[in-house]
Amino acid sequence: RSCAGYWKMAKILIIDDDRVLTAMLAEQLAVDGHEAAAAFSLQEGLALLHRLRVDVVLLDVQLPDGNGLEHIPTIASFPGSPEVIIITGQGEADGAEKAVVSGAWSYIEKPYVIRELSLQLTRVLQYRREKLRVSTVPVALKRERIIGNSPVIRRCLDQVARAAASDVSVLV
């Protein structure tokens, strides 16, 4: 079942040196109603991220010019804070753990990427939609016993207010 029927069209960047797989993924994403761009190296992918605002990056681990896992924080720092889904042919026992610890949304081994991508995209787009909703919901926070009004304390209190508006658990 396509996730396009449930969520707005997403902009997705595929960074993978496997041109056949990249073409198949781009075609499937287009069928699902998404917009896809492709890069065949980290350098090319980062250059595209400077020009395009994307929702999700499908990132290979082993690329000609480096390890994709090492660049997840850089990718997440681009405008729109794109989510990263690792796609790899280098299935390691602890690969998924390394990917998630590095900041990736999820980890898919290449033999299963076409089969699993739709579900992963549905989940990540739901997450992005909820994250956007929570960050834009105004919340009134009672401040009568809170001392301080510096920019740092205001940012902290804004985070508290956003957390209070959601159903997530928060450790303070």
Side-chain angles (χ1 to χ4, degrees):
R1 201 169 185 175
S2 165
C3 59
Y6 301 107
W7 310 108
K8 71 176 176 95
M9 178 179 71
K11 293 183 179 178
I12 300 165
L13 174 60
I14 306 163
I15 305 176
D16 195 321
D17 59 333
D18 183 336
R19 292 178 186 266
V20 173
L21 178 65
T22 300
M24 287 176 22
L25 288 173
E27 184 177 325
Q28 183 61 48
L29 291 168
V31 166
D32 287 346
H34 301 296
E35 188 178 318
F40 303 107
S41 68
L42 282 168
Q43 182 179 350
E44 190 180 343
L46 295 174
L48 278 173
L49 284 168
H50 279 287
R51 294 193 335 252
L52 304 173
R53 186 177 180 122
V54 301
D55 300 300
V56 179
V57 174
L58 303 179
L59 179 64
D60 190 10
V61 174
Q62 297 299 322
L63 289 157
D65 54 347
N67 183 313
L69 292 177
E70 295 171 2
H71 293 273
I72 293 173
T74 302
I75 291 168
S77 72
F78 278 92
S81 301
E83 303 300 332
V84 176
I85 296 176
I86 294 294
I87 54 174
T88 184
Q90 307 293 322
E92 299 176 11
D94 61 345
E97 180 182 352
K98 285 180 185 176
V100 172
V101 166
S102 297
W105 169 261
S106 66
Y107 175 95
I108 305 173
E109 290 186 27
K110 283 186 180 175
Y112 313 108
V113 71
I114 298 293
R115 184 181 75 205
E116 294 183 18
L117 185 58
S118 183
L119 176 60
Q120 293 296 333
L121 277 177
T122 298
R123 289 179 176 167
V124 76
L125 293 174
Q126 285 174 324
Y127 169 77
R128 284 183 68 79
R129 175 174 273 185
E130 183 63 20
K131 188 166 75 170
L132 179 62
R133 186 191 69 77
V134 168
S135 69
T136 59
V137 171
V139 176
L141 187 65
K142 294 180 183 177
R143 295 187 43 140
E144 65 257 4
R145 291 188 169 181
I146 298 175
I147 300 170
N149 198 26
S150 71
V152 173
I153 194 76
R154 285 195 309 264
R155 280 196 307 272
C156 180
L157 293 173
D158 288 345
Q159 286 180 323
V160 169
R162 283 195 303 273
S166 74
D167 292 332
V168 299
S169 298
V170 177
L171 175 64
V172 179

